[in-house]
Amino acid sequence: MKRQRLGYGLHLLQHSARLWPGRRPSEPVPPTSIIPPWLPGNFIPSTTFCLLYFFSRRRAVNCCRVLLLLVGWLCVAGVAQAQTAPETPANAAVPAAKRQLQAVRITEAIKLDGDLNEAVWQQAPVATDFIQNRPNPGPREKHKTEVRILYDDANLYVGALMHDVSQDSILRELSGRDNMGNTDFFGIFLDTYHDKINGYGFFVTTGGVQADARYSPAGGEDFNWNAVWDSRTALRGTDWVCEMRIPYSAIRFSKAPEQLWGVNFMRQRKKENQGFFWNEVKPAVDGFVNQWGELLGIKDVQPPLRLSLTPYISAYANHYPYNVQGTRNASTSFNGGADVKWGINESFTLDATLVPDFGQVQSDNQVLNLSPFEVQYNENRQFFTEGTELFNKGNLFYSRRVGAQPIGFYDVSSQLRAGEMGPDGKRRPGEAVVSNPGVTRLLNATKVSGRTKNGLGVGVFNALSNDVYATVRDSASGRERDILTQPFSNYNIVVLDQSLKNNSYVSLINTNVTRWGSTYDANVTGGLFRFADKKNAYAIDGRVVYSRRRGNVFGSDTLHIDDQNGYKYQIGLSKISGNLTWSVGQGIESDTYNPNDLGILFGNNNISQYANISYNKYQPFWKVNNFYSWMGVNHSLLYKPTRYQNANLAGGWNTTFTKSFLTTGMNFDVNPVTHDYFEPRQYPLGDYYVRVPVNANVGGFISSDYRKKLAWDLNAGVRWYAQDDRFQRPRRMGYGLGISPRYRVSNQLNFRYSFDWNLRQHQVGYVNGGIDTSLPDDARFRDEHPNDVLLGVRRVLTVTNTVSGGYTFNNRMSLTVRVRHYTSTVNYSEFARLSKNGEEAPVDYRRNRDNTFNAFNVDAVYSWWFAPGSQVSIVWKNASSSFLEANEATPLYFDNLSNTINTPHNNNVSVKVLYYLDYLMLKRRSKV
């Protein structure tokens, strides 16, 4: 029953972040982002060293006190400085006045060529005098930007002229779609319902690369959304020009005779790392869409019929060296299907995928999961990443559940007929698994979403999956039979989201999974709210969620679901604008709360409280552009029975230097003794826990200037644990190091290497794989200690090497290659038995439980957008993995690399063609 919640086997992504002693380097934040306080400059920070050491538990406690005093002093000093800082204007937290721009209707055709030579362009009002947002908020631009907007019955036209000093000052690296790279760009933002919460963004780089995004409270800045529109750019002397044509079919708006839209424009001058907005966006003001200006003058336009069909055909060739008689090493397959987009009315759109094919998505990052929780997969399927901002409200939808591993995947082995001794005294073999699909093939998936003119967002998602069977074969007779692992299932989500004044909202979300046959159904209903005051200075937010499950455990007629009803609530109060912000809150997750059938849960049965404070300086001072700092205190209790779990003090800061654009900072956390009730894997919770001593982590990061050909990220950290007074064990320690250089050979070719090293010494945890009573050592342990849990003291070394490169032929054609090797080795030095109330005792357990997991992946993708919305993609995937146990396990990296190379690899080559057919375009052509 708990299998969805527990981490069995090999999964994806790193497990619990609490085990990582330093922050990892990350990809740059999209350059259109309004960088929040913890993400300075143009990237998420990576890391540098800091040292701290605990010689004893008493010294650890003293260090905790010192850190508390230090942080308190920093906060008081920060508040005092905030009150006296001369460079911070008094109105820094007050939104700027809204500028207005008039659009001009046209009747003649506009040629999209990057040359604003039509006379009507000169007749339109000009948006100019942009205001800098980064690195120094406030100053007006020195090199003028001029933007004009035209429209007709079918399209919105945007013409932008960006003045500069020379062509050498206009950076123009080529990259793939939705990836800005090291280049200048221009963008327009549209809030077509003028609700000041939701919006669109369209961007074009100097090389003509397009990017588009949706903006919402749930999705933030979402570049997974894609629209079909057209643009051209050109260099004109010392200036560059951007010309856009955005069809009304790419956006949604009301039928009002005269439209009032929110609008803003952005320009990036990468040469100086500067970002400018037409309507000033203040970093001290909460929100983004609410700081846009207004677009006037669009009259008598009707939302068009939005109907498009994108059929696809794909072909796959797969090779795996089974080298088994009767099994082919090579196989081929051909697929076909289509995506349909239909505008039901001016507000709502239906998106459907029929017989979807997700075989070309990027390979998942396999890791060895030692945690008690399942790992969270990245979603790479476009249908589930595009236009899902409504469905992500409340974080109740984990899209990888749709088409995920069958719920009966792990039960197949228990249903096999075992071998037996025949009457002749000879042993007859039993059944063996021939195939057991690890994913569920979808029949179709449909989304209906939109927002009315009164700000009511409605979203409906539905998907169907067919029966899934495992095939087993009788080793004696050769007969095969099927075992059902996933019944025909329906996945459904309904969302109602009402936008309110002052950047506020209320939402209702319902998720439902219905399965046919002898199993169970699940339903989750949640309500969310956020209310901000008129000055957008303070806000109160909260949520209430109820989970309901009914039926039997899959494959059983007698066992009923044990967590039939559960609930969760959370409420918080926060100061959301200004240099100094804070938040406090409290929440509860009951012991039976379980949204896992269509969501994801990392432990329930929890009562938590938190308090956070942040002080940020957005203006340059001394030798830095800005300064961001934060601190938080968290406390957690087990809900049932009510018992202490953990407490935590964490904080950090970061800054960007003015001349070098080097970003650096540090973070820390201090944790008193923790009672980990989840690590023993004993349910119900409350009797067993693993006691974790006092510990602290200090980490840091350094990231260099990405404008340079050679740039790099460095992060490192260390976690210290106090000595556990109960044992003579060595002190636990944790270390982490990450290095990621990148080199831009030219505006078309770039490479990146990433090295991550993580070592945890003398860690105490549940022995992965559990107890197998068919083995002598395990059977003896269970006989002698029937109610105890086997723990191990282990050394865990994890190394990841990733190399990626890309060559962009032009703004529509690119080739990317990514190679990743991952290895994680676990070596046990001693074992202990865990009894109730956290009591541990040494145990004579001699089975070798060491293990090593290796994973290797190659993803090579050639992509050509041969027409708007139409694409040819050729993908090669190479993958292998191995799990070595006992004496085969080795911590030597090059031995593991050699083993990985010599392990059989699965090779897959696929070709996929999509062709975008738009009803309006076809209609116009037929008239011609």
Side-chain angles (χ1 to χ4, degrees):
M1 230 348 278
K2 303 293 181 183
R3 185 157 289 169
Q4 279 187 316
R5 196 176 305 168
L6 302 182
Y8 292 112
L10 306 175
H11 296 290
L12 310 182
L13 301 178
Q14 287 286 1
H15 49 273
S16 177
R18 61 190 171 87
L19 301 177
W20 174 252
R23 292 185 65 180
R24 296 167 53 84
S26 302
E27 290 294 329
V29 174
T32 52
S33 297
I34 304 305
I35 306 301
W38 57 92
L39 301 177
N42 62 340
F43 44 83
I44 299 176
S46 311
T47 321
T48 184
F49 279 119
C50 277
L51 294 177
L52 179 64
Y53 191 78
F54 286 97
F55 295 102
S56 66
R57 179 178 176 182
R58 177 176 297 177
R59 184 164 295 184
V61 173
N62 290 336
C63 287
C64 292
R65 292 172 179 169
V66 172
L67 280 172
L68 282 168
L69 291 173
L70 176 62
V71 172
W73 179 83
L74 287 173
C75 290
V76 173
V79 172
Q81 191 174 15
Q83 294 173 345
T84 59
E87 71 274 15
T88 303
N91 63 347
V94 179
K98 293 190 177 297
R99 292 181 169 184
Q100 293 182 331
L101 180 66
Q102 193 83 12
V104 174
R105 176 181 276 277
I106 60 174
T107 54
E108 66 271 25
I110 293 290
K111 183 180 180 181
L112 212 65
D113 55 4
D115 190 355
L116 308 180
N117 54 4
E118 291 89 351
V120 67
W121 281 117
Q122 307 309 316
Q123 300 170 10
V126 181
T128 188
D129 292 328
F130 283 37
I131 299 173
Q132 189 175 152
N133 171 264
R134 61 171 185 257
N136 178 16
R140 295 184 181 272
E141 60 181 350
K142 295 180 180 179
H143 310 288
K144 293 293 185 181
T145 305
E146 301 174 7
V147 186
R148 298 170 173 84
I149 290 186
L150 310 175
Y151 74 97
D152 58 22
D153 290 335
N155 305 285
L156 188 75
Y157 300 90
V158 184
L161 175 62
M162 277 64 66
H163 297 284
D164 219 309
V165 292
S166 67
Q167 289 195 6
D168 292 340
S169 297
I170 305 172
L171 304 189
R172 42 189 184 272
E173 181 186 10
L174 289 174
S175 56
R177 199 180 197 281
D178 289 328
N179 182 9
M180 302 300 190
N182 189 61
T183 182
D184 291 15
F185 71 77
F186 169 79
I188 178 175
F189 304 92
L190 296 172
D191 174 10
T192 53
Y193 287 99
H194 205 227
D195 63 8
K196 303 178 184 179
I197 293 182
N198 302 277
Y200 303 89
F202 300 89
F203 313 91
V204 184
T205 72
T206 47
V209 176
Q210 291 184 345
D212 35 32
R214 290 290 301 270
Y215 296 86
S216 68
E221 184 175 52
D222 181 13
F223 276 89
N224 290 312
W225 176 77
N226 287 318
V228 178
W229 50 289
D230 209 354
S231 61
R232 296 290 185 276
T233 59
L235 290 174
R236 306 292 180 189
T238 60
D239 308 329
W240 73 280
V241 180
C242 173
E243 198 170 12
M244 299 183 185
R245 178 171 57 223
I246 303 173
Y248 296 143
S249 58
I251 56 179
R252 304 171 194 173
F253 54 92
S254 71
K255 288 185 175 180
E258 184 171 357
Q259 302 287 327
L260 175 61
W261 293 354
V263 70
N264 211 348
F265 309 104
M266 182 180 182
R267 177 186 178 182
Q268 174 169 282
R269 290 191 71 247
K270 192 65 176 177
K271 180 76 173 179
E272 307 295 338
N273 252 343
Q274 294 173 332
F276 301 89
F277 288 94
W278 171 61
N279 204 96
E280 184 179 7
V281 174
K282 297 184 177 181
V285 175
D286 181 69
F288 179 43
V289 182
N290 56 313
Q291 299 193 65
W292 298 354
E294 295 177 337
L295 181 63
L296 310 176
I298 299 181
K299 300 179 181 179
D300 302 322
V301 296
Q302 293 297 316
L305 173 63
R306 290 175 283 118
L307 177 60
S308 64
L309 177 70
T310 309
Y312 81 86
I313 56 172
S314 61
Y316 290 81
N318 196 80
H319 180 271
Y320 183 83
Y322 294 100
N323 297 327
V324 176
Q325 186 174 0
T327 302
R328 293 188 304 170
N329 291 341
S331 62
T332 58
S333 64
F334 297 90
N335 305 285
D339 291 342
V340 179
K341 188 182 291 287
W342 171 44
I344 301 173
N345 56 28
E346 73 275 10
S347 300
F348 296 97
T349 301
L350 179 147
D351 292 276
T353 180
L354 309 176
V355 195
D357 174 17
F358 301 121
Q360 289 194 332
V361 299
Q362 180 176 300
S363 302
D364 290 315
N365 293 334
Q366 292 188 2
V367 301
L368 177 64
N369 180 27
L370 300 178
S371 80
F373 310 110
E374 67 171 311
V375 293
Q376 187 170 4
Y377 295 70
N378 285 330
E379 179 58 88
N380 297 318
R381 300 170 296 177
Q382 184 175 338
F383 183 83
F384 294 97
T385 60
E386 181 180 333
T388 57
E389 64 278 355
L390 273 174
F391 304 109
N392 291 327
K393 294 284 288 189
N395 295 320
L396 296 179
F397 178 40
Y398 176 41
S399 59
R400 291 297 293 260
R401 293 281 185 242
V402 183
Q405 189 178 80
I407 59 176
F409 178 83
Y410 291 104
D411 299 328
V412 174
S413 58
S414 64
Q415 301 180 53
L416 299 178
R417 183 183 63 80
E420 58 185 3
M421 297 298 295
D424 55 359
K426 295 182 178 180
R427 182 172 182 81
R428 296 181 178 178
E431 291 180 317
V433 177
V434 176
S435 66
N436 188 10
V439 296
T440 303
R441 184 71 185 267
L442 295 181
L443 297 175
N444 62 63
T446 305
K447 298 178 295 189
V448 176
S449 61
R451 191 171 294 273
T452 69
K453 63 180 180 180
N454 295 320
L456 176 63
V458 180
V460 178
F461 171 89
N462 191 268
L464 295 173
S465 66
N466 209 346
D467 295 334
V468 180
Y469 293 91
T471 302
V472 300
R473 179 185 299 151
D474 191 299
S475 301
S477 65
R479 293 180 181 176
E480 294 185 351
R481 67 185 179 96
D482 293 332
I483 297 177
L484 181 68
T485 60
Q486 173 80 18
F488 184 89
S489 303
N490 181 82
Y491 307 86
N492 186 263
I493 305 173
V494 177
V495 181
L496 300 175
D497 175 55
Q498 179 63 60
S499 300
L500 303 174
K501 293 181 178 180
N502 306 322
N503 211 20
S504 305
Y505 61 83
V506 292
S507 306
L508 178 69
I509 305 100
N510 177 266
T511 70
N512 182 275
V513 180
T514 302
R515 302 181 178 94
W516 271 247
S518 179
T519 183
Y520 69 96
D521 302 329
N523 189 283
V524 176
T525 302
L528 317 174
F529 69 87
R530 181 182 192 265
F531 302 123
D533 66 346
K534 291 183 178 180
K535 294 183 179 180
N536 199 32
Y538 297 90
I540 182 172
D541 62 88
R543 66 185 61 199
V544 177
V545 186
Y546 169 71
S547 65
R548 181 181 186 274
R549 308 170 104 202
R550 290 293 185 273
N552 302 327
V553 177
F554 177 71
S556 172
D557 295 325
T558 57
L559 296 178
H560 293 278
I561 296 295
D562 58 1
D563 47 2
Q564 295 189 1
N565 302 285
Y567 72 90
K568 167 186 177 179
Y569 88 82
Q570 182 177 340
I571 189 166
L573 174 67
S574 55
K575 181 178 183 294
I576 56 178
S577 291
N579 294 77
L580 181 69
T581 60
W582 52 260
S583 63
V584 293
Q586 194 264 350
I588 287 179
E589 290 180 332
S590 73
D591 59 314
T592 53
Y593 172 68
N594 191 350
N596 259 332
D597 293 275
L598 206 49
I600 191 166
L601 175 69
F602 298 108
N604 53 11
N605 200 357
N606 183 63
I607 302 174
S608 61
Q609 303 85 32
Y610 67 87
N612 300 309
I613 187 171
S614 175
Y615 174 68
N616 307 314
K617 290 177 66 65
Y618 304 107
Q619 302 292 335
F621 68 100
W622 187 55
K623 297 181 180 181
V624 298
N625 287 326
N626 43 49
F627 181 80
Y628 303 90
S629 62
W630 60 276
M631 183 187 68
V633 178
N634 299 276
H635 179 261
S636 175
L637 300 171
L638 204 64
Y639 169 77
K640 183 180 180 181
T642 305
R643 296 176 180 175
Y644 166 79
Q645 284 195 102
N646 60 66
N648 170 268
L649 170 68
W653 60 266
N654 50 62
T655 188
T656 302
F657 286 87
T658 304
K659 292 184 177 180
S660 64
F661 272 90
L662 183 78
T663 294
T664 185
M666 65 161 290
N667 56 85
F668 73 91
D669 65 74
V670 179
N671 306 275
V673 172
T674 296
H675 294 173
D676 190 339
Y677 289 94
F678 293 93
E679 183 65 23
R681 278 79 154 170
Q682 296 294 303
Y683 294 90
L685 299 177
D687 291 333
Y688 293 84
Y689 65 83
V690 174
R691 183 182 182 274
V692 182
V694 173
N695 63 91
N697 166 66
V698 177
F701 55 85
I702 297 177
S703 285
S704 70
D705 188 352
Y706 286 177
R707 294 174 299 173
K708 296 182 179 180
K709 283 183 173 292
L710 177 63
W712 47 271
D713 302 320
L714 169 68
N715 74 82
V718 59
R719 182 173 296 279
W720 301 264
Y721 293 81
Q723 184 69 50
D724 194 332
D725 299 334
R726 302 174 299 168
F727 309 101
Q728 296 301 315
R729 297 172 184 163
R731 185 192 308 275
R732 305 185 194 188
M733 293 293 290
Y735 307 92
L737 173 67
I739 303 173
S740 181
R742 61 184 69 198
Y743 184 68
R744 188 175 65 256
V745 181
S746 67
N747 282 335
Q748 294 175 282
L749 179 63
N750 65 83
F751 296 98
R752 180 176 180 181
Y753 169 67
S754 179
F755 169 79
D756 290 292
W757 177 86
N758 183 267
L759 174 64
R760 287 168 285 158
Q761 289 184 318
H762 314 301
Q763 181 205 49
V764 179
Y766 182 84
V767 176
N768 56 314
I771 295 294
D772 183 355
T773 54
S774 66
L775 300 175
D777 285 322
D778 289 18
R780 180 166 57 86
F781 175 83
R782 183 55 65 222
D783 290 340
E784 295 176 357
H785 312 287
N787 298 317
D788 290 348
V789 178
L790 181 64
L791 298 180
V793 180
R794 59 200 178 196
R795 176 182 185 269
V796 183
L797 176 63
T798 302
V799 180
T800 307
N801 282 279
T802 307
V803 179
S804 59
Y807 186 84
T808 307
F809 300 92
N810 53 51
N811 58 16
R812 296 178 182 271
M813 186 185 300
S814 63
L815 172 66
T816 60
V817 180
R818 179 178 183 266
V819 181
R820 175 183 181 266
H821 176 236
Y822 168 95
T823 180
S824 185
T825 302
V826 182
N827 296 108
Y828 288 90
S829 57
E830 60 180 286
F831 298 91
R833 58 182 179 88
L834 175 70
S835 54
K836 293 184 178 181
N837 299 318
E839 297 296 330
E840 296 179 35
V843 63
D844 183 20
Y845 179 82
R846 302 184 181 182
R847 179 183 161 196
N848 189 337
R849 301 304 298 268
D850 294 351
N851 60 82
T852 298
F853 174 66
N854 292 295
F856 180 81
N857 288 94
V858 178
D859 290 85
V861 180
Y862 167 82
S863 176
W864 174 34
W865 293 90
F866 60 90
S870 302
Q871 182 188 31
V872 173
S873 56
I874 303 174
V875 176
W876 171 52
K877 292 185 178 185
N878 177 288
S880 71
S881 63
S882 63
F883 188 74
L884 307 176
E885 297 184 276
N887 294 326
E888 293 183 333
T890 172
L892 300 178
Y893 178 79
F894 288 101
D895 286 352
N896 282 305
L897 179 61
S898 175
N899 173 271
T900 304
I901 294 173
N902 294 322
T903 299
H905 287 228
N906 186 79
N907 280 279
N908 180 285
V909 177
S910 60
V911 180
K912 189 174 183 179
V913 181
L914 302 95
Y915 193 78
Y916 177 77
L917 300 171
D918 182 78
Y919 169 78
L920 295 177
M921 294 174 62
L922 295 175
K923 185 178 179 181
R924 294 191 197 102
R925 291 176 183 174
S926 64
K927 288 182 178 180
V928 176

